[in-house]
Amino acid sequence: MTVFEKILFNVQKPSRYTGGELNSVVKNKEDISLRFAFCFPDVYEVGMSHLGMKIIYSLLNSRPDVWCERAFCPYEDMEEEMKKAGLPLYGLESRDSLSYFDILGFTLQTELSYTNILHMLRLSNIPLKSTDRNEDYPLIIAGGPCAYNPEPLYSFFDLFVLGEGEEVLLELADLVILSKREGWTKDKLLKEAAQIGGIYVPKFYEVDYNEDGTIKNRRVTQEGIPAVVQKRVVKDLNTMFYPESFIVPFGEIIHDRIMLEVFRGCIRGCRFCQAGNIYRPIREKSPEVLNEQAKKLISSSGYDEISLTSLSTSDYTKLEPLTDTLLDWCEQDMISLSLPSLRVDNFSTELMERAQKVRKTGLTFAPEAGTQRMRDIVNKNVTEEQLMHTCRIAFSGGWHTIKLYFMIGLPHETMEDVEGIASLAERVIDNYFEGIRLGEYRKGARGIKVTVSVSSFVPKPFTPFQWAAQDTMELLEEKQQELRSSIKNKHISLSWHERKISFLEAVFARGDRRLADVIETAYENGAKFDNWDEHLKFDVWMDALKIHGLSPEFYANRKRPYEEILPWSFIDIGVTEKHLRLEAERAEEVITTPDCRTNCRGCGANRLCGGFCDAKN
C-alpha cells in the first residue's frame, strides 16, 4: 500500500482526492507538450459543480498535445495528512505535484476564495508572489467573474484572462508551447502574452495614489503594452466547443447533473447584477445544437437529470421548441428537466408542466425586494401581481414549497422596504389559503411553506451600483432584526447570509493593489476557507487591514463620485461607463428601463461581436 493510499484511511470523503472517475482524462506524458492544472480554490464538491471547469477541462484535453488535470483545495483533515507524509498538492489525474505543471489556472468565483489560492500555492511549494517565481515555476493565471477587478491579487498572478476562455486559452497554450521550444525568458513570454486580446499582465502597469487613498493615475511601464484590456467573447455559441462528456464523481457533489448552457448574457439589466453586464452580449444556442449536446452528455455519463443553464432560462426565446424536443426522448428514458433561474413575470402553466413532466423539482423565484418602489430602483421589472399570478400557477400545479430570494442594503432602501419583504411573503401565504377556500388548489399534506432567503447587497464592478456605498454592518444587522421581527407567520422561514462575509466581499470586490499585502498577511495569520461561516476569522482580516494602514470602510462603505478613477477602469467589457452611469441616475429617480428585447438601450456590448446581439435579432 502506498503512502497516498494509507492516508486516505484517515480522512473524511477520500473520494475527493483519488481521481479516476468516469470520463476523467489520463494521457501519456511523453506525448504532451503542455501540462495545465485547472485549480478550483475550494473543496472538490464545490469545484466539480462548476460548469466553467467542465468546459475548459474538456476543451484543453481535446488537444492531443495538452493535458489538463484538476486540483482542489484539500480540507483540513487531508491537509494535515499530506503535511505529515510530506506530500505536495497534486493534479488529480497524475498525482504529480502542481509544481511540475506548465500552467496553473485558477478560477475566481468569489472574493473570499483568495486565501485558498495562496494556500494551494504554498501546499505546492510554489512562491506566492509572481516576482519570486522564475522560469522554473509554472505560469500562475486566473480568470472568472472576480478577475474583472484583478487588482487586489495583482502581485500573486502572472496574468489574468478577462472574458470567455474558450479561444484565448488555446492561444495562450500555443504561446507557452512556443516559449518552451525556443527557451524564452518569463519576461519575454509575458510581453508576448500581453498582446493576446483579453490577457492582462499586471507587472507592466503601475498605480499612483492621492493622499486620500483614491487612485491618482495608472501608467503602462513598457512600450507596446495596451493601456486598455478588452474582454474576450465567443461570437457564435452554436459552433463553440462544448463537452461531449462530464466527469461523473464517486461521491455526491452540489450540482450532480448535466448542465446544458442555453445562452450567455442577460436581457434584463438588474442594476445590482454584475453577471448581467459582464456576460453580454446576448448569444443563444439553437435547439438542434442543444438537443444533440444533451444526447451525447446523457449517453456518456448516465445522468438522469438535465439542467437548462443560463442567467435567466425562461428568457431563452426558443424554450418551448427546445423542451418539446428534449421531452420527446427524456420522458421515455425517465430523464428529468430542471429549469433554474426562472423569472416571476414569464412563468407559465405550460412551462410548469414541462418542468414536472418526469419529476417535480423545487421552485425558486427572486423578487429581490419587498416593495414595488425598491424593485423599480433595482430595475427588476416584476410586479406583485405577477408574483401572485406565478404562485397561483405553482399552487394549482401541486407545489406547496416555494423559495423567494431577496436582498437588503440596496441603494436608496428604507426600513419600510425591508418590512415589505415580510409583508410580501405573508401575501403569498394568504394567496394560498384563499385558493384553498375557493377550491382552486388542493391542500398539501404538509401545508404551505415559503422560505425567505436574504442576502446583503455587495456593490460590484461593472454595475450601475458600482459607485454606491454598502450599508454598514451595524445597519445591516438592524435591518436583519427588523425583518426577523416582522415575520410572524409560522408558514414562513427566514435565513440570511452572514453580514461579515458580505462586508469583506465588498472590501475586495472594489479593492485596489494595496489589498494584496492584506490578503497575504491574513493568510499567514490563519485565514482560509473564508467563504465558510464556520471558518471565517473576521478578526484576522481586521488586524491585517490595520497592520497595513488600510480602512475597510474606505472600500466597502464609501460612495464614489462618478469622476473617480476606479481600480478596474482599464478593462473594457463592451458595456460603456456612460450606460452604467445613466442606469445609476435612473435608479435614483426610481425610473425603470425595459428589457433589451423591448427596447435596446445601446449598452455597447454588441461591438465586441461585430454589432451582433441576439436581443436585437
Side-chain angles (χ1 to χ4, degrees), residues 367-375 384 387-388 404 406-408 413-428 452 454 479 482-483 486-487 492:
E368 310 291 0
T371 63
Q372 193 59 51
R373 188 191 80 91
M374 204 63 237
R375 287 193 293 274
E384 181 173 326
L387 175 62
M388 295 305 158
L404 299 176
F406 297 92
M407 273 189 286
I408 59 170
E413 182 182 69
T414 66
M415 204 58 86
E416 287 72 28
D417 295 314
V418 177
E419 294 161 357
I421 294 173
S423 303
L424 189 64
E426 291 272 2
R427 288 194 287 279
V428 171
V452 172
V454 180
K479 289 181 175 180
E482 179 64 25
L483 181 56
S486 300
I487 292 178
I492 302 173

Side-chain angles (χ1 to χ4, degrees), residues 32-36 65-67 102-103 172-173 176-177 180:
I32 299 304
S33 301
L34 182 133
R35 297 186 68 181
F36 187 107
D65 58 342
V66 177
W67 186 10
D102 298 301
I103 302 176
L172 180 63
V176 174
I177 290 171
K180 287 174 64 179

Side-chain angles (χ1 to χ4, degrees), residues 259-293:
M259 286 187 273
L260 201 60
E261 185 183 28
V262 295
F263 74 103
R264 289 183 182 176
C266 181
I267 64 170
R268 295 295 174 169
C270 297
R271 290 169 178 144
F272 56 82
C273 182
Q274 184 189 48
N277 287 295
I278 61 176
Y279 294 130
R280 288 185 179 192
I282 317 298
R283 290 147 294 153
E284 294 190 342
K285 284 186 186 176
S286 74
E288 295 76 19
V289 168
L290 288 165
N291 189 47
E292 285 306 307
Q293 290 175 347

Side-chain angles (χ1 to χ4, degrees), residues 148-410:
Y148 284 96
N149 179 19
E151 293 300 81
L153 294 168
Y154 87 103
S155 61
F156 309 117
F157 285 96
D158 296 308
L159 63 86
F160 294 87
V161 175
L162 304 176
E164 296 163 354
E166 284 90 346
E167 294 173 347
V168 63
L169 283 178
L170 295 182
E171 295 167 22
L172 180 63
D174 285 335
L175 189 71
V176 174
I177 290 171
L178 178 63
S179 76
K180 287 174 64 179
R181 189 182 304 141
E182 298 189 352
W184 293 359
T185 63
K186 182 178 176 183
D187 197 58
K188 176 173 171 59
L189 171 62
L190 291 176
K191 282 179 186 170
E192 293 297 327
Q195 306 307 315
I196 298 176
I199 287 186
Y200 167 56
V201 183
K203 70 170 288 186
F204 297 133
Y205 303 80
E206 287 184 356
V207 180
D208 298 318
Y209 296 90
N210 295 305
E211 287 187 5
D212 64 1
T214 56
I215 294 176
K216 185 176 183 181
N217 61 57
R218 180 182 171 81
R219 292 172 284 112
V220 176
T221 59
Q222 300 237 359
E223 191 176 346
I225 301 297
V228 174
V229 181
Q230 190 176 78
K231 76 168 184 182
R232 289 288 290 269
V233 297
V234 178
K235 293 178 180 174
D236 185 355
L237 264 57
N238 284 318
T239 56
M240 179 188 73
F241 176 88
Y242 202 73
E244 294 185 358
S245 63
F246 284 170
I247 294 173
V248 183
F250 293 125
E252 187 177 357
I253 61 173
I254 295 174
H255 300 299
D256 206 5
R257 60 183 78 99
I258 295 299
M259 286 187 273
L260 201 60
E261 185 183 28
V262 295
F263 74 103
R264 289 183 182 176
C266 181
I267 64 170
R268 295 295 174 169
C270 297
R271 290 169 178 144
F272 56 82
C273 182
Q274 184 189 48
N277 287 295
I278 61 176
Y279 294 130
R280 288 185 179 192
I282 317 298
R283 290 147 294 153
E284 294 190 342
K285 284 186 186 176
S286 74
E288 295 76 19
V289 168
L290 288 165
N291 189 47
E292 285 306 307
Q293 290 175 347
K295 284 181 176 178
K296 288 176 181 174
L297 286 167
I298 289 292
S299 173
S300 63
S301 69
Y303 276 113
D304 63 356
E305 183 177 353
I306 299 172
S307 175
L308 303 186
T309 305
S310 73
L311 292 176
S312 178
T313 300
S314 49
D315 283 329
Y316 176 56
T317 57
K318 303 175 185 71
L319 188 57
E320 184 175 336
L322 173 63
T323 51
D324 283 347
T325 304
L326 291 172
L327 285 171
D328 279 346
W329 56 275
C330 287
E331 196 173 356
Q332 181 181 341
D333 295 344
M334 293 301 291
I335 295 165
S336 63
L337 291 185
S338 64
L339 304 171
S341 307
L342 296 176
R343 278 186 60 89
V344 166
D345 55 339
N346 57 14
F347 185 74
S348 65
T349 302
E350 294 74 22
L351 198 56
M352 176 189 69
E353 289 173 346
R354 286 182 171 86
Q356 63 173 346
K357 201 84 175 181
V358 177
R359 189 184 309 142
K360 185 178 289 185
T361 54
L363 278 182
T364 301
F365 298 105
E368 310 291 0
T371 63
Q372 193 59 51
R373 188 191 80 91
M374 204 63 237
R375 287 193 293 274
D376 289 346
I377 287 174
V378 302
N379 203 43
K380 190 65 185 176
N381 281 322
V382 165
T383 65
E384 181 173 326
E385 184 182 1
Q386 288 169 326
L387 175 62
M388 295 305 158
H389 176 69
T390 290
C391 289
R392 282 193 289 274
I393 292 174
F395 294 149
S396 65
W399 269 276
H400 302 101
T401 300
I402 290 178
K403 289 183 182 177
L404 299 176
Y405 279 123
F406 297 92
M407 273 189 286
I408 59 170
L410 288 157

